[in-house]
Amino acid sequence: MAGTKIDQRAIEKHVKDINKAYERAFKKYPITVPLASRGFTPSAGISGVGVGIEQDPQLVGYLMWLSERPGNGFGTLADYAGHSGTSLSEAAVLAAELERDGLVVALGTFGPDAHKVSADGQVELRRLARLRSAPAARHRYATDAFLRWLYATAHDQSPASPAAFLDTDESHFAGGALSETELDYALARLTNSGLVEDASTDPKTVTITLDGIDCVLSGASVSDYLNRTRPGDYYSINGTNIVAGSQGKVEQHNHNHAFDPGVMREFAALVQQLAPTYGLDPVQQAELVRDAEVLNEEASSETAQPGRVRAAYDAVMGRLTEIGVASAALTTTLQQGQQAYTAVFGG
């Protein structure tokens, strides 16, 4: 506009004020950018939250080895190759992937192939340590990893020895080895769900079923595969007519209690009965019995809630699978527990 003088100093002051406001906002609410590759979340919480390197034993092994280095806390590729038995080129690939994910940093001053755990790597190591002691996360991994291994080993449905799985890299989760008890739990769940079948008992061998093959090829976890929605599945609406069946078979029912956790009470009673036979110390036995009592109470409630029953069940199974010494009583209990879970929650 003619004759109008622009106050340049006022504009500059306004711009400075805006920049300062952005700086204050950034300090208070910093922008976080997700790392590339595996959708890695270094600060994710415990068991099942976030995605890291817990399912890759080689990456976990290299990161943990670096964290244990004395002195300045750095290691070279040649040292790790000699320690782990991997080739130098394989060690270089591991280091490159961890560096890309921000978990290690290269230290040029100590040589071109020297690395050290980064701050994010320290956070990931803490998360891995927590995952190693999280029964639910370990159980999920054991089930998924064994089924994938069985498919890779014998996708032609020939019998395979489950014990051989414990000698593989895949039998390690978050830097810790799976136990025989955890393998028994995985086998019980897979067998009861129809994804694996027993082939022989002496020595014990199993085969993958067509459903098991379908689960692996789908790329879904065992839990997601078993809980997927199928056309024509049973539908339940409390307090109204309920239509059940699929394809040409349709039945109509009237009832008000679709959720029936009765078998969970039987499972809880079995745990209480056999608790003295598991070889636990008095404190551990008391804690297991207490959790079983909670499960019984939740399953006996007139207004039993699926979420509360499931949480109580997970607590009991978690304590059972932490028992280090396998026994016939423990194996039977784990199998009964999985059967109860399948009966109540469908897999």
Side-chain angles (χ1 to χ4, degrees), residues 56-100:
D56 191 322
Q58 291 183 315
L59 288 177
V60 174
Y62 182 57
L63 185 65
M64 292 180 66
W65 176 82
L66 271 182
S67 71
E68 297 165 355
R69 294 307 87 211
N72 292 322
F74 72 91
T76 66
L77 297 181
D79 288 340
Y80 180 70
H83 164 79
S84 63
T86 61
S87 66
L88 193 59
S89 60
E90 289 174 327
V93 171
L94 295 176
E97 187 166 351
L98 291 171
E99 186 176 356
R100 180 194 62 191

Side-chain angles (χ1 to χ4, degrees), residues 100-166:
R100 180 194 62 191
D101 287 345
L103 301 181
V104 304
V105 292
L107 301 176
T109 55
F110 295 97
D113 296 330
H115 293 84
K116 182 178 181 179
V117 178
S118 68
D120 279 344
Q122 295 293 348
V123 174
E124 175 66 354
L125 284 167
R126 180 174 182 272
R127 192 182 74 91
L128 291 171
R130 298 177 71 188
L131 278 174
R132 285 194 295 275
S133 60
R138 293 175 65 92
H139 299 163
R140 283 192 296 268
Y141 174 78
T143 306
D144 292 336
F146 179 79
L147 188 64
R148 291 193 299 265
W149 171 83
L150 184 59
Y151 172 78
T153 303
H155 55 267
D156 59 353
Q157 297 184 282
S158 59
S161 170
F165 171 73
L166 295 176

Side-chain angles (χ1 to χ4, degrees), residues 45-346:
I46 192 170
S47 64
V49 181
V51 178
I53 61 174
E54 61 270 11
Q55 296 192 26
D56 191 322
Q58 291 183 315
L59 288 177
V60 174
Y62 182 57
L63 185 65
M64 292 180 66
W65 176 82
L66 271 182
S67 71
E68 297 165 355
R69 294 307 87 211
N72 292 322
F74 72 91
T76 66
L77 297 181
D79 288 340
Y80 180 70
H83 164 79
S84 63
T86 61
S87 66
L88 193 59
S89 60
E90 289 174 327
V93 171
L94 295 176
E97 187 166 351
L98 291 171
E99 186 176 356
R100 180 194 62 191
D101 287 345
L103 301 181
V104 304
V105 292
L107 301 176
T109 55
F110 295 97
D113 296 330
H115 293 84
K116 182 178 181 179
V117 178
S118 68
D120 279 344
Q122 295 293 348
V123 174
E124 175 66 354
L125 284 167
R126 180 174 182 272
R127 192 182 74 91
L128 291 171
R130 298 177 71 188
L131 278 174
R132 285 194 295 275
S133 60
R138 293 175 65 92
H139 299 163
R140 283 192 296 268
Y141 174 78
T143 306
D144 292 336
F146 179 79
L147 188 64
R148 291 193 299 265
W149 171 83
L150 184 59
Y151 172 78
T153 303
H155 55 267
D156 59 353
Q157 297 184 282
S158 59
S161 170
F165 171 73
L166 295 176
D167 295 327
T168 66
D169 287 343
E170 290 83 357
S171 66
H172 292 74
F173 173 68
L178 298 175
S179 67
E180 292 184 9
T181 300
E182 287 170 323
L183 175 59
D184 288 340
Y185 175 87
L187 279 172
R189 186 178 186 201
L190 291 168
T191 303
N192 292 330
S193 301
L195 303 182
V196 168
E197 289 181 342
D198 289 331
S200 66
T201 56
D202 189 21
K204 182 177 179 61
T205 58
V206 296
T207 60
I208 190 170
T209 66
L210 292 178
D211 275 344
I213 293 174
D214 184 48
C215 176
V216 175
L217 295 180
S218 72
S221 67
V222 170
S223 294
D224 288 343
Y225 180 82
L226 295 176
N227 293 330
R228 72 197 188 284
T229 301
R230 300 181 180 89
D233 270 357
Y234 187 92
Y235 295 87
S236 174
I237 303 176
N238 291 341
T240 63
N241 290 339
I242 300 173
V243 177
S246 63
Q247 315 222 337
K249 300 179 181 179
V250 178
E251 301 175 3
Q252 185 165 311
H253 305 273
N254 291 309
H255 59 83
N256 295 317
H257 301 286
F259 178 66
D260 181 11
V263 291
M264 285 295 181
R265 295 193 295 270
E266 299 174 4
F267 171 58
L270 177 66
V271 173
Q272 291 175 271
Q273 178 183 355
L274 296 182
T277 69
Y278 299 142
L280 298 171
D281 62 45
V283 174
Q284 292 174 322
Q285 181 177 323
E287 291 174 342
L288 176 61
V289 170
R290 181 196 61 201
D291 286 343
E293 290 172 347
V294 172
L295 174 59
N296 181 64
E297 291 174 1
E298 293 294 346
S300 301
S301 172
E302 293 183 359
T303 57
Q305 300 295 317
R308 295 176 66 89
V309 173
R310 189 192 296 264
Y313 167 85
D314 286 342
V316 173
M317 290 298 285
R319 291 197 185 279
L320 289 172
T321 53
E322 287 175 349
I323 299 174
V325 180
S327 65
L330 179 60
T331 300
T332 298
T333 307
L334 290 171
Q335 291 174 346
Q336 291 296 323
Q338 184 54 48
Q339 291 172 5
Y341 182 93
T342 302
V344 176
F345 296 108

